[in-house]
């Protein structure tokens, strides 16, 4: 009903009217992530348009990232997670604000000092005592990211201070990062990484690195998060400067 009648007289082409209607249905959550769309034939019948029109509308929504096609099983509402580009938020906050339950499986938690090689990328002085946290991070039951975080030991009372959220623990200690630099790049995932993230061989990999700073400019975290396939979608708002 939300889509209403497609109208030949409107100056918007029929496929764009259909596309707009479906987009609205997704935005209003009348169609939910992972919902299957009816077959093209049924949609064509329902809206009294040709299958070519339906196909064109769906193609448009697939390229916008709102729908996805799965070989042999049809078209579905995409379930990827959108992440604002400029907000300094934690994984826990990102997932909670989307109504998902964040969960972590600990792979490793350790204490050590920064090696010269590590010092090059983390910005910590060689020999700085650090805590290292390696987790597989889930949204509900879906593994989303394989994450490695290094935090200087001064920032936390102990290794055990981090139980679920790193940023919560840093916040409690008065050391939550206030600013950060973030870098994204395409990477090839190793077979074990792909497996941990429930990907398929050949899936694309994304590495997100973050260096977080305290108000006074000291580095308080260096993290590397690996994502697999198209589960994550980074969105940036671009504006012209006046
Ligand atoms: C994101 C950031 C990491 C940060 C993490 C903290 O994944 N990319 O740099 O360490 O959030 O998340 P949480 O507080 O849930 O442990």
């Amino acid at each position: 009903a939300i889509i209403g009648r497609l109208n030949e007289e409107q100056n918007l082409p029929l496929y764009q009217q259909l596309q707009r209607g479906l987009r609205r249905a997704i935005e209003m959550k009348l169609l939910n992530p992972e919902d299957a769309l009816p077959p093209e034939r049924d949609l064509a019948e329902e809206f009294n348009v040709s299958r070519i029109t339906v196909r064109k509308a769906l193609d448009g929504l697939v390229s916008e990232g709102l729908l996805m096609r799965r070989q042999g099983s049809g078209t579905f509402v995409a379930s990827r997670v959108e992440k604002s580009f400029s907000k300094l938020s934690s994984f826990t906050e990102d997932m909670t604000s989307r109504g998902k339950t964040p969960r972590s499986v600990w792979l490793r938690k350790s204490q050590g000092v920064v090696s010269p090689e590590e010092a090059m990328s983390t910005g910590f002085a060689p020999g700085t005592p650090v805590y290292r946290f390696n987790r597989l991070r889930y949204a509900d039951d879906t593994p989303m990211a394989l994450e490695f975080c290094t935090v200087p030991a001064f920032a936390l009372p102990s290794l055990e201070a981090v139980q679920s959220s790193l940023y919560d623990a840093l916040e409690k200690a008065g050391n939550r990062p206030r600013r950060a630099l973030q870098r994204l790049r395409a990477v090839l995932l190793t077979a074990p990484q792909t497996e941990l993230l429930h990907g398929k061989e050949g899936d694309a990999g994304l590495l997100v690195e973050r260096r977080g700073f305290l108000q006074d400019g000291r580095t308080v975290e260096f993290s590397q998060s690996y994502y697999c396939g198209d589960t994550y979608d980074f969105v940036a708002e671009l504006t012209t400067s006046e």
Side-chain angles (χ1 to χ4, degrees):
I2 175 91
I3 301 182
R5 294 197 71 78
L6 302 184
N7 186 343
E8 204 69 79
E9 272 104 74
Q10 262 187 309
N11 47 18
L12 209 57
L14 284 175
Y15 82 91
Q16 284 186 19
Q17 293 179 37
L18 181 56
Q19 200 170 320
R20 192 176 56 182
L22 287 168
R23 192 187 299 116
R24 215 172 278 162
I26 295 169
E27 281 162 7
M28 294 177 69
K29 304 246 182 294
L30 296 172
L31 286 168
N32 289 301
E34 296 294 334
D35 279 356
L37 257 66
E40 284 178 11
R41 191 180 344 103
D42 296 4
L43 286 171
E45 214 166 280
E46 183 169 344
F47 295 107
N48 200 15
V49 293
S50 72
R51 281 185 68 174
I52 296 172
T53 300
V54 172
R55 168 62 63 93
K56 253 178 120 175
L58 299 187
D59 281 348
L61 294 168
V62 167
S63 61
E64 281 177 37
L66 288 176
L67 295 180
M68 56 193 176
R69 288 213 170 88
R70 290 205 183 111
Q71 208 71 50
S73 50
T75 307
F76 297 81
V77 178
S79 67
R80 49 182 162 179
V81 172
E82 276 196 6
K83 163 96 178 78
S84 154
F85 219 58
S86 55
K87 203 164 154 254
L88 181 41
S89 53
S90 70
F91 181 86
T92 302
E93 291 158 348
D94 289 342
M95 295 307 129
T96 311
S97 70
R98 285 170 185 83
K100 296 181 190 284
T101 307
R103 193 164 64 80
S104 296
V105 169
W106 283 95
L107 301 176
R108 195 146 187 254
K109 212 186 229 189
S110 68
Q111 198 163 348
V113 293
V114 167
S115 67
E117 295 90 311
E118 260 185 326
M120 290 287 284
S121 52
T122 61
F124 298 129
T128 305
V130 289
Y131 296 135
R132 296 192 179 91
F133 305 102
N134 180 198
R135 293 171 286 178
L136 185 58
R137 318 220 55 183
Y138 286 78
D140 298 329
D141 294 324
T142 310
M144 296 289 296
L146 178 61
E147 203 159 73
F148 300 84
C149 301
T150 308
V151 171
F154 79 77
L156 291 169
S158 73
L159 193 59
E160 294 314 315
V162 181
Q163 290 302 329
S164 52
S165 162
L166 170 63
Y167 276 23
D168 276 358
L170 288 171
E171 175 122 51
K172 278 204 193 95
N175 287 321
R176 185 178 163 126
R178 294 288 156 227
R179 286 183 304 131
L181 290 174
Q182 188 155 291
R183 171 162 66 187
L184 277 78
R185 61 193 147 106
V187 289
L188 284 174
L189 297 172
T190 63
Q193 287 173 335
T194 306
E195 198 180 319
L196 280 172
L197 292 165
H198 292 190
K200 305 183 297 308
E201 197 190 327
D203 274 353
L206 177 71
L207 170 59
V208 179
E209 292 179 311
R210 182 182 292 181
R211 214 167 128 179
F213 305 94
L214 295 175
Q215 198 68 49
D216 65 12
R218 280 180 297 167
T219 299
V220 73
E221 81 156 317
F222 176 73
S223 71
Q224 293 182 306
S225 312
Y226 291 88
Y227 298 87
C228 179
D230 64 357
T231 45
Y232 229 64
D233 192 359
F234 286 86
V235 177
E237 184 182 320
L238 309 180
T239 54
T240 53
S241 51
E242 288 299 297

